[in-house]
Amino acid sequence: MTRIVVVGNGPAGHRLVERLRAHQHTGPITVLGREEHAAYNRVLLSAVLDRTLSPDTITLPTVDAHVRLRVTATGIDRTGRVVHTDTGEELPYDVLVLATGSRPKMPEVPGLRAGHLQPLRTLADCARIDDVAGPIAVLGGGILGVEAARALLARGHDVALVHPNPHLMDRQLDDTGGRLLAERLGKLGVELHLGREAIAYRPGRLVLDSGEVVPANLVVACIGVTAETGLAVRAGLPVRRGIVVDDQLRTSDPRIHAIGDCAEHNGDTPGLIAAAWEQADTLAALLTDGDARYHGTPTVTRLKARGIDLASIGSVEGLGSAEAEVVTLSDPARGRYAKLALRAERITGAVLFGFPEAIASVSQLHDRDLPVPADRLALLLGTPAATPSAPVELPDDAVICRCNNVTKKSLTAAWHGGARSVPELARTTRATTGCGGCVDDVGRLCDALANRIEHQKEGAA
């Protein structure tokens, strides 16, 4: 009976256990987690920070495994196939999976020390930020930085966001999208300092390279993450930006795999939860005699910030490709902007700001690799005739709610179980309780299932 040990109790490790059991793996599974909390969805930390969600709400369902909290793996004996822990235990394995995640990068700013500097990576980080009163500065204008700034603003803090690049989310947005996002945050009340860096901290004040002084009782660091590879390095496994794996998510040791933020596949460490889930699904199939391979995950980013509808697909560079058909709709007076890059009628990249209907439709077309309608404008404006077919026509394993990884199959089962409305489905499956971007899709699924039942009744009559 195959013994599997998973190092890491985050979304990647949790998903792997779920899928292993779904694939009928009956052997023992041990999961090691450093934190005191049960597995939870880190994607939703900004919603916990602004108190839209409670910590309990983002806790992931219990899995059929021996989960050890507050236990850290300290070493791997590859010859004896044993994991050593900080509790002095030796855990034997037949298969070892490293899902160690990543750690936040911390800025080196003179005068800025613990007590005034805080990352945002865990529930414990949220709790520490929760205890701070007064103005807060956020370093970093990427996805997490923008979400953190918006959440802190919603909490009633005076918030300044400092970003070294000239526009926000520069890895996901072009100049126009970044400018519109900055305008929106500014109107909401975030004080923006773009193209600036912090050079010193004095009690209650952050000094910028421009000479400006930003009031800040706390500085929240959102400047990126580094793959957590120490355990792999000590075990002699190849590591570059992450733990190097092949298409079977194997390291150089065929009994050791890596998934999630810590894994590097084809030179890429995506750092996105969708990639972690897909890697977990692939590995679960492989470990239960499946024939799956991992070939990478398309980059789809949905900003989870209250009152801002923003999504990005693919890379910024792809939006300017001379080989692509580029469709642009700009409506600055209403704060709306859309840009699509198409090849062979398929979406290869997109920036969508202020078009919630288009975000849902374009995401479905991209996920399903379907051709876009001939009327591009109707697609962006959300005209019903241009909207992709209802979610009821999607395959059962299609993910409707990205934040909570809720599939069409789960929603359909809950609907047949009596959850016949969007709020009831939310309570049963947690769909729509993340960024809220799937609300329309869940509603359409409800309507489609109800219509199907009604037609069946009419046919029987």
Side-chain angles (χ1 to χ4, degrees):
M1 188 173 291
T2 302
R3 298 166 298 181
I4 298 177
V5 174
V6 181
V7 180
N9 191 35
H14 181 275
R15 174 71 174 177
L16 175 64
V17 176
E18 280 190 331
R19 300 310 299 157
L20 283 168
R21 295 308 189 195
H23 285 287
Q24 308 305 314
H25 174 77
T26 58
I29 303 174
T30 300
V31 180
L32 305 181
R34 290 181 301 181
E35 295 184 54
E36 64 181 25
H37 300 281
Y40 58 89
N41 192 346
R42 296 185 196 280
V43 171
L44 302 177
L45 282 177
S46 60
V48 173
L49 191 60
D50 73 6
R51 297 177 180 165
T52 301
L53 299 176
S54 68
D56 289 343
T57 306
I58 70 170
T59 299
L60 297 170
T62 302
V63 291
D64 181 12
H66 186 205
V67 179
R68 303 289 308 283
L69 302 179
R70 297 182 295 278
V71 176
T72 300
T74 58
I76 303 169
D77 176 357
R78 290 168 53 190
T79 302
R81 298 206 296 273
V82 170
V83 176
H84 298 275
T85 75
D86 60 351
T87 58
E89 296 170 273
E90 296 183 352
L91 302 175
Y93 67 85
D94 298 307
V95 174
L96 175 61
V97 180
L98 303 179
T100 49
S102 57
R103 63 182 183 276
K105 294 179 180 178
M106 300 302 284
E108 296 182 2
V109 178
L112 190 56
R113 301 287 184 270
H116 295 289
L117 176 62
Q118 180 64 54
L120 178 56
R121 185 67 180 169
T122 66
L123 280 172
D125 293 337
C126 283
R128 285 190 285 268
I129 295 171
D130 203 41
D131 292 335
V132 174
I136 294 179
V138 176
L139 295 185
I143 301 166
L144 182 59
V146 171
E147 291 179 355
R150 180 65 184 99
L152 291 166
L153 187 72
R155 288 277 303 278
H157 291 277
D158 291 332
V159 180
L161 191 154
V162 181
H163 187 52
N165 293 308
H167 74 258
L168 299 169
M169 290 179 59
D170 40 278
R171 293 185 179 181
Q172 293 83 23
L173 303 179
D174 59 2
D175 292 346
T176 302
R179 177 176 53 79
L180 286 172
L181 176 58
E183 290 177 0
R184 177 65 177 148
L185 285 176
K187 289 178 181 177
L188 289 170
V190 177
E191 180 183 317
L192 295 169
H193 298 271
L194 303 181
R196 299 298 180 197
E197 296 191 34
I199 60 170
Y201 183 80
R202 305 184 186 108
R205 294 177 295 164
L206 186 68
V207 182
L208 308 185
D209 56 1
S210 62
E212 296 171 279
V213 177
V214 176
N217 291 346
L218 181 72
V219 176
V220 178
C222 299
I223 60 174
V225 296
T226 301
E228 192 63 79
T229 60
L231 188 62
V233 170
R234 292 191 294 274
L237 300 172
V239 170
R240 293 194 289 260
R241 292 171 57 197
I243 304 167
V244 178
V245 297
D246 61 14
D247 288 354
Q248 292 180 290
L249 299 163
R250 296 176 303 189
T251 66
S252 59
D253 185 328
R255 291 184 177 273
I256 302 178
H257 301 257
I259 60 173
D261 287 2
C262 69
E264 177 181 332
H265 175 264
N266 282 344
D268 189 25
T269 51
L272 297 173
I273 199 166
W277 282 331
E278 189 169 346
Q279 289 171 359
D281 290 354
T282 300
L283 183 55
L286 285 166
L287 295 179
T288 50
D289 299 322
D291 192 27
R293 294 293 184 275
Y294 180 71
H295 300 296
T297 304
T299 302
V300 179
T301 304
R302 178 73 186 264
L303 186 70
K304 290 166 288 299
R306 191 188 305 179
I308 304 175
D309 293 305
L310 173 60
S312 171
I313 295 173
S315 67
V316 176
E317 292 78 12
L319 292 174
S321 172
E323 300 176 0
E325 174 193 349
V326 178
V327 180
T328 303
L329 174 58
S330 181
D331 185 8
R334 295 178 176 83
R336 301 192 301 177
Y337 172 69
K339 191 170 187 177
L340 302 180
L342 311 173
R343 290 188 185 182
E345 301 296 308
R346 265 72 175 176
I347 297 165
T348 59
V351 169
L352 300 161
F353 188 94
F355 289 102
E357 295 86 359
I359 288 173
S361 301
V362 169
S363 296
Q364 283 192 30
L365 289 170
H366 178 264
D367 288 348
R368 298 162 66 190
D369 193 30
L370 294 174
V372 299
D375 191 341
R376 319 295 204 228
L377 182 60
L379 171 66
L380 295 175
L381 292 176
T383 302
T387 302
S389 52
V392 74
E393 298 177 10
L394 293 171
D396 284 345
D397 61 355
V399 176
I400 303 296
C401 175
R402 291 177 178 273
C403 293
N404 291 297
N405 199 34
V406 183
T407 62
K408 174 202 163 186
K409 182 178 181 180
S410 298
L411 287 165
T412 302
W415 191 90
H416 284 295
R420 298 298 175 91
S421 67
V422 172
E424 290 172 350
L425 284 170
R427 286 192 292 272
T428 304
T429 68
R430 295 179 300 151
T432 77
T433 62
C435 68
C438 62
V439 170
D440 290 342
D441 285 344
V442 174
R444 282 197 291 267
L445 179 60
C446 277
D447 293 343
L449 290 170
N451 288 337
R452 176 179 292 178
I453 295 296
E454 188 62 32
H455 290 158
Q456 289 174 347
K457 290 179 178 178
E458 292 175 357

